[in-house]
């Protein structure tokens, strides 16, 4: 068949296939001989089938309450969303809303004593992540490196848990280190107090954990340092690595005679004085407020309008009984005033109120009691938390609402340089292809202009006077964006561990609370002002006001009064 005889759709499909072939080169496994150190584990999931995968990674057969606990399926396949290299496979968690468990037993335990530990792997959330985990566990050799490795579950002991986890407002990259208490033998989980946020996206994300023998640690996301520190120089872990050296004596009790009262009732004034009158009112009539001369209390302030007449079209059956409207009594404005006179009130100088026994400083006050401190019998110093103990394998023990989470290029070793070499050769090149594919498949606006108009981010003419407002808008937008991101990060850290956050970052908490309250007050005030003007101000209240008396001569006064009386009578009925 000649090319020109192909249907247009077939030509387009063929062109797309050719373009895809050229834009997605074939995957080439990383050459492990490029690693400087040989003591490492690397899995790029180049298995041809699930049967080959099962020889290296064991799906858990653990049970709970006599039922199979882990029903989630795993597969080895290429990504279905934004693919990178052609034929580049990964371990894919397939089943949504299910528990998954799969593990790999190392050929020999991984020993990190006085050495660097580097854990690195890729996560690709092909369906996003609303609620679920994508973290990996470095399993303890004791309890796993034996015949029961197929029974891997949530109770299997591990040394480190590392990786992203998100559900609702929680979004963090876990770092949990299990450390033994050498005094009691208890194994304690110590969590990173301020973990970074995970990247929730459908392209690959590279997570790297580095723990060095000098107790420095790093978490990198896509090669960038997200958090770094030293386990001994600052309390990054919670609970802290080392318990307090001194503790309050648990056997000491406060003596019964210990007086903690700073003030006591005055014993010399235990009874109410005889001249104390509790019945006196708090307010009395102001003696200087007297009724003005000429004030007529028997003259009403409002009278029936004598000139008001019942309208000719008024129907008592339909409109009800007609009542003449009231008007201000003109006599009241010719004299000092009329109606009941109400004098002003003043504070009663004799008023004392209800008697309360006064307080004085307690002469027997001994201060707040606290037990004496003694040496903590469970005190110890964990000066080498980097020595996490023998690692017998790796495992993913996860629950997630979303399926198709892909893991790839899992590396466990002692070399930061080797991990960087692997990331540059695999992740960096892969993500370039994924991002190009993401841009090519991004939705476009119909009939989009070839050269869109300049927006807020155009910087060519920032220094001109015409763009002063534009410059300020950009600065404000940058501030709001940064504040929102930092506030969300702080909120997530506070939810994870409020005690540590408030005790170490109380000024930051005060800043966010005060900024939020100030912003809320400002927005509420602006909204109230806007609504005030939109509805036309406050509704008129039916309060009778004293009108100003204007002298009007002739018939104009009479005719105006008649119109007012007719209108008022209709309004009243």
């Amino acid at each position: 068949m000649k090319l020109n005889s192909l249907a247009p759709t077939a030509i387009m499909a063929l062109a797309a296939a050719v373009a895809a072939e050229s834009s997605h080169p074939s995957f080439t496994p990383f050459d492990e001989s490029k690693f400087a150190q040989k003591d490492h584990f690397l899995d790029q999931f180049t298995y041809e089938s699930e049967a080959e995968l099962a020889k290296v990674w064991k799906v858990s057969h653990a049970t709970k309450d006599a039922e199979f606990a882990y029903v989630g399926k795993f597969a080895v396949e290429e990504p279905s969303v934004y693919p990178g290299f052609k034929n580049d496979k990964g371990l894919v968690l397939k089943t949504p809303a299910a528990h998954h468990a799969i593990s790999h037993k190392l050929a020999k335990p991984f020993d990190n004593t006085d050495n660097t530990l580097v854990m690195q792997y890729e996560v690709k959330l092909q369906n996003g992540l609303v609620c679920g985990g994508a973290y990996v566990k470095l399993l303890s050799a004791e309890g796993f490196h034996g015949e029961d490795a197929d029974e891997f579950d949530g109770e299997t002991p591990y040394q480190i848990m590392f990786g992203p986890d998100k559900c609702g407002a929680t979004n963090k990259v876990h770092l949990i280190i299990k450390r033994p208490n050498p005094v009691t033998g208890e194994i304690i989980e110590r969590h990173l107090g301020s973990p970074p946020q995970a990247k929730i996206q459908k392209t690959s994300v590279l997570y790297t954990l580095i723990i060095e023998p000098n107790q420095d640690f790093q978490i990198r996301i896509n090669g960038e340092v997200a958090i770094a520190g030293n386990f001994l120089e600052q309390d990054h872990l919670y609970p802290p690595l080392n318990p307090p050296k001194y503790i309050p004596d648990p056997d000491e009790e406060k003596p019964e005679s210990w007086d903690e009262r700073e003030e006591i009732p005055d014993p010399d004034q235990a009874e109410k004085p005889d001249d104390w009158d509790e019945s006196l009112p708090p307010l009395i009539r102001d003696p200087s407020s007297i009724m003005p001369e000429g004030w007529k209390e028997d003259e009403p302030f409002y009278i029936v309008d004598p000139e008001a007449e019942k309208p000719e079209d008024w129907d008592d059956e339909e409109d009800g009984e007609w009542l003449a409207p009231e008007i201000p009594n003109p006599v009241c404005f010719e004299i000092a005033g009329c109606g009941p006179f109400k004098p002003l009130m003043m504070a009663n100088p004799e008023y004392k109120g209800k008697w309360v026994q006064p307080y004085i400083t307690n002469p027997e006050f001994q201060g707040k009691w606290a037990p004496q401190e003694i040496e903590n019998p469970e005190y110890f110093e964990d000066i080498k938390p980097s020595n996490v103990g023998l690692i017998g394998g790796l495992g993913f023990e996860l629950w997630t609402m979303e399926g198709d989470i892909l893991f790839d290029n899992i590396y466990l070793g002692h070399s930061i340089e080797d991990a960087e070499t692997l990331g540059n050769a695999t992740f960096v090149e892969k993500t370039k292809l994924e991002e190009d594919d993401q841009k090519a498949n991004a939705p476009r606006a119909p009939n989009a202009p070839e050269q869109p108009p300049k927006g807020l981010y155009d910087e060519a003419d920032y220094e001109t006077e015409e763009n002063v407002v534009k410059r300020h808008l950009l600065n404000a937008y940058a501030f709001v964006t940064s504040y929102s991101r930092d506030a969300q990060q702080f909120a997530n850290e506070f939810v994870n561990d409020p005690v540590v956050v408030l005790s170490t970052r109380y000024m930051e908490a005060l800043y966010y609370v005060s900024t939020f309250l100030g912003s809320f007050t400002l927005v509420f005030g602006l909204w109230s002002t806007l609504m005030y003007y939109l509805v036309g101000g406050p509704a008129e209240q039916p309060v009778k006001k004293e009108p100003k008396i204007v002298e009007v001569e002739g018939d104009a006064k009479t005719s105006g009064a008649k119109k007012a009386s007719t209108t008022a009578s209709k309004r009243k009925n």
Side-chain angles (χ1 to χ4, degrees):
M1 180 182 295
K2 295 182 179 180
L3 185 61
N4 57 10
S5 64
L6 291 173
T9 54
I11 296 176
M12 293 176 64
L14 179 61
V18 173
E21 183 70 25
S22 60
S23 61
H24 292 273
S26 296
F27 165 72
T28 301
F30 179 78
D31 184 1
E32 295 186 48
S33 64
K34 296 180 180 180
F35 283 154
Q37 295 192 11
K38 305 305 179 184
D39 184 13
H40 67 269
F41 167 77
L42 174 65
D43 199 334
Q44 294 189 278
F45 297 97
T46 56
Y47 311 107
E48 294 296 330
S49 64
E50 276 71 28
E52 286 190 14
L53 172 71
K55 297 178 181 178
V56 181
W57 291 83
K58 303 295 184 182
V59 175
S60 174
H61 297 294
T63 58
K64 184 177 182 180
D65 298 331
E67 294 184 1
F68 187 53
Y70 299 95
V71 298
K73 304 297 182 182
F74 287 92
V76 177
E77 59 187 25
E78 297 180 52
S80 57
V81 177
Y82 306 136
F85 293 107
K86 186 179 180 181
N87 297 323
D88 185 8
K89 299 177 182 179
L91 175 66
V92 181
L93 178 152
K94 296 295 295 180
T95 312
H99 290 272
H100 300 70
I102 192 171
S103 61
H104 167 73
K105 183 169 64 176
L106 297 172
K108 65 175 183 177
F110 184 83
D111 188 358
N112 194 56
T113 304
D114 297 328
N115 208 338
T116 299
L117 181 147
V118 182
M119 176 67 218
Q120 178 173 284
Y121 70 112
E122 296 175 14
V123 177
K124 187 174 181 127
L125 306 172
Q126 300 185 89
N127 294 327
L129 187 63
V130 174
C131 188
Y135 43 80
V136 62
K137 292 181 178 180
L138 303 185
L139 305 174
S140 173
E142 182 180 357
F144 176 76
H145 205 76
E147 298 298 329
D148 59 345
D150 290 352
E151 302 305 316
F152 166 60
D153 60 13
E155 301 301 321
T156 301
Y158 65 87
Q159 304 290 7
I160 292 177
M161 192 173 92
F162 169 65
D165 187 18
K166 182 182 184 303
C167 194
T170 300
N171 180 12
K172 60 184 175 181
V173 178
H174 275 296
L175 174 55
I176 302 176
I177 300 178
K178 286 194 173 184
R179 302 296 298 158
N181 182 325
V183 178
T184 64
E186 179 186 7
I187 303 297
I188 304 174
E189 286 187 0
R190 306 195 185 275
H191 297 243
L192 187 62
S194 300
Q197 285 190 313
K199 287 187 176 293
I200 308 303
Q201 59 190 52
K202 295 185 179 182
T203 55
S204 296
V205 178
L206 184 68
Y207 292 96
T208 307
L209 170 64
I210 300 171
I211 299 177
E212 300 186 71
N214 63 354
Q215 311 316 312
D216 286 344
F217 76 95
Q218 290 183 32
I219 291 179
R220 299 180 182 180
I221 302 177
N222 292 346
E224 300 291 333
V225 177
I227 187 173
N230 186 282
F231 288 135
L232 301 181
E233 293 177 0
Q234 186 177 351
D235 289 335
H236 289 283
L237 299 177
Y238 183 81
L241 277 170
N242 301 316
K245 192 171 184 178
Y246 296 94
I247 61 171
D249 187 351
D251 298 328
E252 187 177 0
E253 296 182 358
K254 183 176 70 173
E256 294 182 0
S257 60
W258 191 278
D259 196 339
E260 292 184 323
R261 299 173 299 167
E262 295 185 23
E263 293 184 335
I264 60 172
D266 187 352
D268 296 332
Q269 301 185 54
E271 296 182 0
K272 181 176 68 172
D274 295 337
D275 61 346
W276 192 285
D277 189 351
E278 295 181 340
S279 64
L280 295 175
L283 297 176
I284 60 173
R285 177 175 176 172
D286 188 348
S288 64
S289 178
I290 59 176
M291 185 169 63
E293 185 178 354
W295 188 287
K296 294 185 177 181
E297 288 191 291
D298 57 349
E299 190 73 38
F301 188 80
Y302 285 95
I303 62 172
V304 176
D305 187 356
E307 299 181 358
E309 296 180 358
K310 180 178 179 180
E312 295 180 357
D313 58 350
W314 189 278
D315 189 337
D316 289 341
E317 293 184 0
E318 293 184 3
D319 302 328
E321 181 184 0
W322 181 82
L323 298 175
E326 292 183 343
I327 63 171
N329 189 346
V331 175
C332 294
F333 300 96
E334 298 172 358
I335 58 177
C338 60
F341 177 76
K342 296 181 179 179
L344 298 177
M345 304 295 286
M346 60 174 286
N348 186 357
E350 303 296 330
Y351 175 73
K352 296 182 178 181
K354 184 176 179 61
W355 184 81
V356 177
Q357 185 178 7
Y359 275 69
I360 61 171
T361 301
N362 183 5
E364 305 296 330
F365 176 63
Q366 297 175 269
K368 297 297 182 182
W369 182 86
Q372 294 184 350
E373 290 195 338
I374 61 173
E375 290 190 2
N376 186 355
E378 297 182 2
Y379 175 75
F380 64 89
E381 285 189 299
D382 188 353
I383 60 175
K384 288 188 177 182
S386 61
N387 293 341
V388 296
L390 295 179
I391 297 171
L394 298 85
F396 294 96
E397 193 266 324
L398 305 169
W399 180 90
T400 175
M401 285 296 296
E402 287 72 36
D404 287 337
I405 299 177
L406 185 145
F407 305 97
D408 200 4
N409 295 320
I410 299 177
Y411 169 83
L412 174 63
H414 299 293
S415 173
I416 300 174
E417 293 75 14
D418 286 352
E420 291 174 343
T421 300
L422 174 65
N424 290 328
T426 56
F427 172 76
V428 172
E429 298 302 321
K430 177 195 298 184
T431 52
K432 290 179 181 178
L433 301 174
E434 293 180 346
E435 290 171 359
D436 290 343
D437 194 34
Q438 186 181 39
K439 292 178 182 178
N441 289 279
R444 293 179 174 82
N447 303 320
E450 295 182 1
Q451 293 184 351
K454 291 184 178 181
L456 192 62
Y457 292 96
D458 294 319
E459 300 179 356
D461 53 354
Y462 271 4
E463 300 307 319
T464 63
E465 294 182 0
E466 293 81 0
N467 285 279
V468 172
V469 175
K470 181 179 182 181
R471 204 160 53 241
H472 288 312
L473 286 174
L474 179 58
N475 292 336
Y477 176 79
F479 170 77
V480 172
T481 302
S482 175
Y483 176 85
S484 177
R485 181 183 63 250
D486 296 343
Q488 183 181 6
Q489 172 71 15
F490 180 83
N492 289 336
E493 295 171 4
F494 174 79
V495 171
N496 293 335
D497 204 328
V499 176
V500 171
V501 172
L502 288 179
S503 61
T504 60
R505 301 163 65 185
Y506 53 89
M507 291 301 296
E508 190 174 353
L510 179 62
Y511 165 72
Y512 285 120
V513 171
S514 59
T515 305
F516 172 78
L517 292 178
S519 302
F520 176 81
T521 303
L522 176 62
V523 172
F524 182 77
L526 293 175
W527 174 256
S528 300
T529 303
L530 177 62
M531 294 303 298
Y532 176 88
Y533 285 105
L534 287 178
V535 300
E540 294 185 359
Q541 301 297 324
V543 178
K544 297 179 181 180
K545 300 181 180 179
E546 298 181 2
K548 294 181 179 180
I549 302 301
V550 180
E551 295 294 336
V552 182
E553 296 181 357
D555 296 335
K557 179 179 180 180
T558 303
S559 61
K562 288 183 177 181
K563 291 180 179 179
S565 65
T566 302
T567 305
S569 63
K570 288 187 175 182
R571 184 182 299 117
K572 186 171 184 180
N573 290 276

